[in-house]
């Protein structure tokens, strides 16, 4: 008795689909990395190599003169510290306010929950200048203008909707049965949250922190409007490099992008998608 021939067509189609997906991911990654690579090469080029024409793909001469000149400029190092502080404070405040709200959205069914999630996003629909001008007026009256705290409040207002929705999806991925089992075995609600829910949700919370930190690090308009003597690094770059040579502009852009990339690289193992699957 002869065996029927095995149809390998589905396996071939699956292999072709996987190859196409890999090629698409590679193309998207290259498209996203190309500007960063070009900025980095321009920042590390010498003044002579930067003005060459036609310009080669790789600089004919490398130099850190532009980067050193930018970093040594007035106000750059304090602005870098202000950006780091504003980013860390924004992460802490966003998680402190957004994680409980996300947990409530994931566990409590109430009327209008879907509409409430849509309304949360309306804050992101508003232009930042619409928020910055009245907030600047309020901060002037309160006496917290031109401070890192004021920038933190604005960045938290921008990041909070995303934090709430991301943490809600993270807590949905934590089985409710596990939390109920902890309560049955004698844990209080607080202990169940601390010992069971938070350890399982920690990678997702770290991913939410990444998005929040990068949002705070890259925001420039609000920090420019609200600060003058205590600028963040993007605001400092915008104000100091407006009339500078191209070499310093490339150096400022590279210095601005590099810390965010390093932060994402360090915590990359904790990045989750919206349904809680770890990205390795």
């Amino acid at each position: 008795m002869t065996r029927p021939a095995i149809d390998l067509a589905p396996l071939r189609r699956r292999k072709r689909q996987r190859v196409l997906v890999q090629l698409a991911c590679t193309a998207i990654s290259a498209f996203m990395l190309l500007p960063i690579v070009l900025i980095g090469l321009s920042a590390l080029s010498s003044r002579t190599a930067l003005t060459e024409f036609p310009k080669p793909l790789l600089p004919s001469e490398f130099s850190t003169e532009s980067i050193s000149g930018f970093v040594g400029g007035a106000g750059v190092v304090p602005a870098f510290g202000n950006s780091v502080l504003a980013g860390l404070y924004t992460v802490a405040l966003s998680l402190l306010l957004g994680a409980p709200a996300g947990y409530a959205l994931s566990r409590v069914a109430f009327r209008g929950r879907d509409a409430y999630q849509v309304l949360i996003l309306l804050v992101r629909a508003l232009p930042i200048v619409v928020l910055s001008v009245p907030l600047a007026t309020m901060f002037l009256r309160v006496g917290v203008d031109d401070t890192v705290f004021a920038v933190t409040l604005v960045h938290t207002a921008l990041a909070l909707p995303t934090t709430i929705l991301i943490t809600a999806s993270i807590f949905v991925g934590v089985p409710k049965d596990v939390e109920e089992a902890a309560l049955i075995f004698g844990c209080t609600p607080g202990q169940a949250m601390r010992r069971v829910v938070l350890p399982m949700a920690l990678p997702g919370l770290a991913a939410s922190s990444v998005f929040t930190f990068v949002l705070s690090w890259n925001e420039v308009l609000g920090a420019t409007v609200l600060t003058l003597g205590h600028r963040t690094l993007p605001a400092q770059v915008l104000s100091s490099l407006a009339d500078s040579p191209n070499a310093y502009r490339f150096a400022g852009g590279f210095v601005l992008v590099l810390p965010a990339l390093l932060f994402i690289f360090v915590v990359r193992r904790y990045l989750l998608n919206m349904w809680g699957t770890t990205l390795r």
Side-chain angles (χ1 to χ4, degrees):
M1 183 177 180
T2 60
R3 296 182 179 179
I6 300 176
D7 186 9
L8 298 179
L11 181 60
R12 294 193 188 98
R13 285 196 299 269
R14 185 175 181 180
K15 288 183 177 179
R16 285 196 298 268
Q17 292 175 354
R18 296 180 65 179
V19 171
L20 291 175
V21 170
Q22 291 294 331
L23 290 176
C25 292
T26 303
I28 294 173
S29 300
F31 177 77
M32 297 174 64
L33 289 175
L34 183 60
I36 300 175
V37 173
L38 294 178
I39 290 175
L41 291 176
S42 300
L44 294 174
S45 300
S46 64
R47 300 287 184 88
T48 304
L50 193 60
T51 57
E52 288 180 349
F53 184 83
K55 190 174 179 61
L57 180 61
L58 294 177
S60 58
E61 184 181 359
F62 288 92
S63 174
T64 60
E65 179 184 358
S66 299
I67 295 180
S68 301
F70 171 76
V71 174
V76 173
V77 174
F80 177 84
N82 292 335
S83 287
V84 173
L85 289 178
L88 294 178
Y89 291 161
T90 301
V91 168
L93 192 56
S94 297
L95 287 180
L96 183 64
L97 299 176
Y103 179 80
L105 285 176
S106 67
R107 289 291 191 264
V108 181
F110 56 90
R111 181 178 298 178
R113 181 172 62 176
D114 294 338
Y116 173 72
Q117 295 184 52
V118 174
L119 289 174
I120 290 176
L121 293 176
L122 287 180
V123 176
R124 298 306 308 272
L126 295 174
I128 179 60
V129 68
V130 175
L131 297 174
S132 298
V133 174
L135 285 176
T137 303
M138 183 180 67
F139 292 157
L140 284 170
R141 294 176 179 176
V142 176
V144 296
D145 58 294
D146 196 14
T147 61
V148 176
F149 177 70
V151 177
T152 300
L153 293 179
V154 175
H155 291 179
T156 301
L158 295 175
L160 199 56
T162 306
T163 302
I164 292 174
L165 296 181
I166 291 178
T167 53
S169 66
I170 291 167
F171 287 121
V172 166
V174 178
K176 190 175 181 179
D177 298 341
V178 177
E179 187 177 358
E180 293 175 348
L183 296 175
I184 292 174
F185 283 103
C187 289
T188 63
Q191 291 174 338
M193 171 63 71
R194 187 175 66 254
R195 297 181 180 180
V196 178
V197 178
L198 286 182
M200 297 180 68
L202 185 60
L205 296 178
S208 176
S209 301
V210 171
F211 294 121
T212 302
F213 182 85
V214 173
L215 184 148
S216 173
W217 182 269
N218 293 331
E219 199 282 323
V220 58
L221 183 57
T224 303
V225 173
L226 296 173
T227 59
L228 184 60
H230 299 82
R231 293 192 181 277
T232 59
L233 187 58
Q236 181 69 23
V237 169
L238 180 64
S239 61
S240 62
L241 298 184
D243 300 321
S244 299
N246 288 333
Y248 288 107
R249 294 185 182 184
F250 286 124
F254 184 66
V255 172
L256 183 62
V257 170
L258 191 59
L261 292 179
L262 293 177
F263 182 79
I264 294 175
F265 179 79
V266 170
V267 298
R268 68 191 186 282
R269 67 178 61 186
Y270 299 111
L271 291 176
L272 304 181
N273 63 14
M274 294 299 292
W275 293 272
T277 304
T278 305
L279 298 176
R280 298 290 183 180

